[in-house]
Amino acid sequence: MLRKILAGLAALAVPLIAVAASPAEAALPPGKITFFAGQTTPDLTAYKQQVLDRDAAFPRPGGVTLYTNISPNSCNGLTVTCNLNGNVFNFNQTLAEYPGAAVAVGLYLADNPGCVNQPLRAILNRNDADIAGALGQQYRQNLDNLLTYFKNTGRQVYLRVGYEFDGPWNCYNTDFYKQAFRVVKQRITTLGATNIKTVWQSASYAKDGDPQYKFDFSNPNHLADWYPGDDVVDYVGLSTFYWDATYRQYQWACDTPTSTPTVLYDRVLNFARAHSKPAMIAESTPQAYRTANLDASCVTVNNRVSLGGDWTKVGSWYDQYFAYINRNTDVLRAVSYINSNWEAISQFSCPPGATAGSPNCTDGYWGNSRIQDNAAILANFKRELQNSIFVNGTLTGRGANWGGGTPTNPPTTPPTTPPTTPPTTPPASGRDAFATIEAESRNAQSGTTVTAGRLSSLNNGDWARYDGLAFGGRTPNQVVFRYSSARPTTQAFTLEFRAGSATGPVIAAPGLLGTGSVTAYKEIAFNVSNVPAGTTSITVVARANDSADILDLDWFRFS
């Protein structure tokens, strides 16, 4: 996630190079997933020397990840080394070190500081005063130079156009971004660069930015607002830095997220399915953990705490990561892992006690994600990549043991869409509390009705009970739910989650606001406490200070 570091990058005069292509790089194979390693040239050199060169049996990555841009008057790292705040890129060097590998390219199009979208407007050839004449023409020429360079590499290139388009840190204007994406695709076509595929990558971030600018991840229709069109998007991408079972324990312990990670990730993959597009996890890393030191921190404040020498507490992140990949092989065709010691990069330095956004901690705390810095993580990572779902993998199933017991193999054919209709007769036992519970699948109720697949028109004191929710040996941190309300967006009410009956102990009581319409949904994640272990009943109760309709409830689940 190179947020602001590439603001000064620009295209140089580009001597074109030709590298022999491999038949394996023609496309991401159907039913297989290509593993990409990233994300700077030194990171990739170290990965080659310290992992691949030392172990001939370690699966070779099918691709590498690097970054560039088209802004004038600075370097772009294509043919000579470019160092921006400690982030070093040299495409020629990396391509030589990884012959035949595909390339996933993060094309930075923001212009922090300022957020005036100059690169996007220049691509659109607008007649704005700040880009009129030579400057605007230089942007457009740099774009063509960049595309021609990638065309002449002979590699399969996955161009992440304005990656993490919805990240508030990028300040992209929605309309400018969509229009510029279309122009980039048009230039690829005009230049005959058939080896370049476009990737439309969401930040899939756990906290909303300003909804006025559509940085509203909790909005279920968020992605549609940013989509430039089926005719110009080849791959749908996402970033995955956090996982449900652990993100509140360390990474988000000192902040309040507005969405649960897997809710966001599932939304992106389901969007890809709905548009018949393959998907790519374009960025992934266990942010705020350190594999060498075995400690962890919050992402917005460097408050590192020791993990007591227990590598499996970091391993849990990887276990969830690979489990998610295995569950979504129907749509995922590539995953890119950032194997970086972030603390060695000045851009990401953040001393103990520093807070994100301060001069000495501009991008928050990142830690060290290098797998070679911990022997147990390295061995398990190797076994995961040996899984035959990956290109270059030859073994059956996951096989790795991240400390939670021997994993079970996933179904060979995962469902292409999540279930949308509950059983006719809700089961009285054995429902996974961590899976989506459709609100209409209640076992008992008072005052509720079902309308269009949701529990509707709950009034003060109305309740619905859900029996047989199995928590097993896991302790949930949050309850996640989707609701709507015709009440004004300034009017508050409460939705209680109780253990057992409608008068049982309260485990969560989020205060909510109206959404203005029963068709305007919001997803909320709220902390829970004192959830009974094993299998239990959970009852939801609506509370307000009047007798009018309060809310409709679509679904909930624990995480």
Side-chain angles (χ1 to χ4, degrees):
M1 185 187 287
L2 298 184
R3 297 187 176 179
K4 294 176 283 189
I5 66 174
L6 298 176
L9 281 170
L12 300 169
V14 182
L16 303 180
I17 63 173
V19 180
S22 162
E25 65 198 49
L28 300 177
K32 287 279 192 176
I33 296 173
T34 297
F35 175 73
F36 285 69
Q39 66 181 4
T40 68
T41 292
D43 290 336
L44 290 163
T45 298
Y47 189 79
K48 176 183 182 298
Q49 294 175 347
Q50 299 171 14
V51 178
L52 305 179
D53 291 351
R54 294 179 182 178
D55 184 355
F58 202 100
R60 270 46 190 166
V64 294
T65 298
L66 292 168
Y67 291 76
T68 190
N69 81 114
I70 60 170
S71 298
N73 305 318
S74 188
C75 61
N76 67 0
L78 295 181
T79 59
V80 297
T81 298
C82 179
N83 185 330
L84 287 122
N85 296 326
N87 296 272
V88 177
F89 303 100
N90 186 318
F91 277 74
N92 278 1
Q93 177 183 334
T94 298
L95 293 178
E97 291 177 345
Y98 289 84
V103 188
V105 180
L107 176 56
Y108 187 80
L109 294 174
D111 54 2
N112 287 309
C115 299
V116 295
N117 287 257
Q118 187 180 80
L120 298 181
R121 291 184 291 110
I123 288 173
L124 297 176
N125 199 14
R126 290 170 57 94
N127 193 32
D128 300 334
D130 62 324
I131 51 171
L135 180 61
Q137 177 58 36
Q138 186 63 61
Y139 272 110
R140 294 185 290 277
Q141 184 60 58
N142 288 350
L143 174 61
D144 280 4
N145 288 348
L146 192 76
L147 299 176
T148 304
Y149 173 92
F150 292 134
K151 172 185 175 181
N152 283 277
T153 63
R155 308 296 181 100
Q156 188 68 49
V157 176
Y158 299 90
L159 187 64
R160 296 155 47 209
V161 181
Y163 58 91
E164 294 183 329
F165 54 80
D166 47 5
W169 49 86
N170 283 325
C171 302
Y172 290 136
N173 172 279
T174 313
D175 292 332
F176 289 159
Y177 172 78
K178 290 188 290 187
Q179 295 167 26
F181 194 108
R182 298 189 64 82
V183 172
V184 171
K185 181 65 171 181
Q186 291 165 7
R187 296 309 301 159
I188 291 171
T189 302
T190 299
L191 294 169
T194 56
N195 61 320
I196 302 177
K197 303 296 183 183
T198 58
V199 181
W200 177 72
Q201 179 195 345
S202 172
S204 42
Y205 194 55
K207 187 171 184 177
D208 285 352
D210 191 334
Q212 176 182 352
Y213 301 106
K214 303 187 189 302
F215 301 134
D216 49 350
F217 296 95
S218 60
N219 174 8
N221 297 315
H222 166 79
L223 293 173
D225 291 334
W226 288 91
Y227 194 55
D230 285 344
D231 57 327
V232 295
V233 171
D234 296 318
Y235 284 79
V236 170
L238 67 156
S239 299
T240 61
F241 298 106
Y242 323 110
W243 296 101
D244 291 14
T246 51
Y247 80 115
R248 292 292 288 161
Q249 187 172 6
Y250 300 111
Q251 297 163 308
W252 283 87
C254 57
D255 204 342
T256 304
T258 50
S259 298
T260 298
T262 303
V263 170
L264 297 172
Y265 306 159
D266 286 349
R267 185 187 298 159
V268 176
L269 295 190
N270 286 331
F271 191 95
R273 292 179 177 111
H275 289 262
S276 300
K277 300 293 182 182
M280 168 185 287
I281 294 179
E283 298 184 39
S284 55
T285 202
Q287 184 186 3
Y289 289 93
R290 292 199 297 180
T291 55
N293 305 76
L294 295 181
D295 54 26
S297 172
C298 183
V299 298
T300 56
V301 180
N302 182 350
N303 59 357
R304 288 194 300 254
V305 294
S306 172
L307 300 179
D310 186 355
W311 72 270
T312 67
K313 291 184 178 180
V314 185
S316 176
W317 185 96
Y318 293 98
D319 192 29
Q320 295 172 81
Y321 173 61
F322 283 107
Y324 190 78
I325 293 168
N326 275 261
R327 290 199 304 269
N328 291 284
T329 55
D330 66 302
V331 67
L332 280 174
R333 290 293 165 266
V335 298
S336 179
Y337 178 78
I338 306 171
N339 195 67
S340 178
N341 180 5
W342 301 88
E343 294 180 315
I345 301 172
S346 57
Q347 168 72 28
F348 298 100
S349 64
C350 184
T355 302
S358 62
N360 58 349
C361 184
T362 56
D363 278 24
Y365 182 71
W366 287 82
N368 175 11
S369 61
R370 293 186 358 150
I371 60 172
Q372 66 264 38
D373 289 348
N374 183 285
I377 290 174
L378 179 64
N380 279 278
F381 203 96
K382 173 183 176 179
R383 183 56 184 87
E384 296 283 13
L385 293 185
Q386 288 175 321
N387 186 347
S388 59
I389 68 170
F390 290 103
V391 174
N392 298 330
T394 59
L395 303 180
T396 302
R398 293 183 59 195
N401 189 336
W402 293 100
T406 303
T408 56
N409 292 334
T412 55
T413 306
T416 56
T417 56
T420 57
T421 305
T424 303
T425 303
S429 63
R431 289 204 272 182
D432 183 359
F434 298 93
T436 299
I437 307 296
E438 298 290 346
E440 66 270 28
S441 68
R442 63 210 189 283
N443 296 93
Q445 61 87 31
S446 174
T448 69
T449 58
V450 174
T451 303
R454 65 185 184 271
L455 205 62
S456 63
S457 303
L458 277 73
N459 300 132
N460 182 42
D462 289 350
W463 57 265
R465 193 184 75 228
Y466 302 85
D467 296 334
L469 300 195
F471 290 92
R474 294 174 60 185
T475 300
N477 296 309
Q478 291 188 313
V479 62
V480 186
F481 57 94
R482 184 173 187 252
Y483 81 98
S484 66
S485 171
R487 294 188 175 217
T489 57
T490 56
Q491 192 172 98
F493 52 89
T494 302
L495 184 65
E496 298 174 346
F497 287 80
R498 292 178 175 265
S501 71
T503 58
V506 175
I507 61 174
L512 305 175
L513 294 173
T515 64
S517 168
V518 293
T519 61
Y521 284 93
K522 291 188 69 174
E523 291 174 17
I524 297 293
F526 197 83
N527 291 350
V528 297
S529 61
N530 301 316
V531 180
T535 301
T536 190
S537 296
I538 297 294
T539 301
V540 296
V541 185
R543 298 292 186 193
N545 294 324
D546 55 61
S547 60
D549 287 353
I550 301 174
L551 82 158
D552 289 10
L553 183 64
D554 189 11
W555 53 258
F556 68 93
R557 67 173 181 171
F558 291 87
S559 67

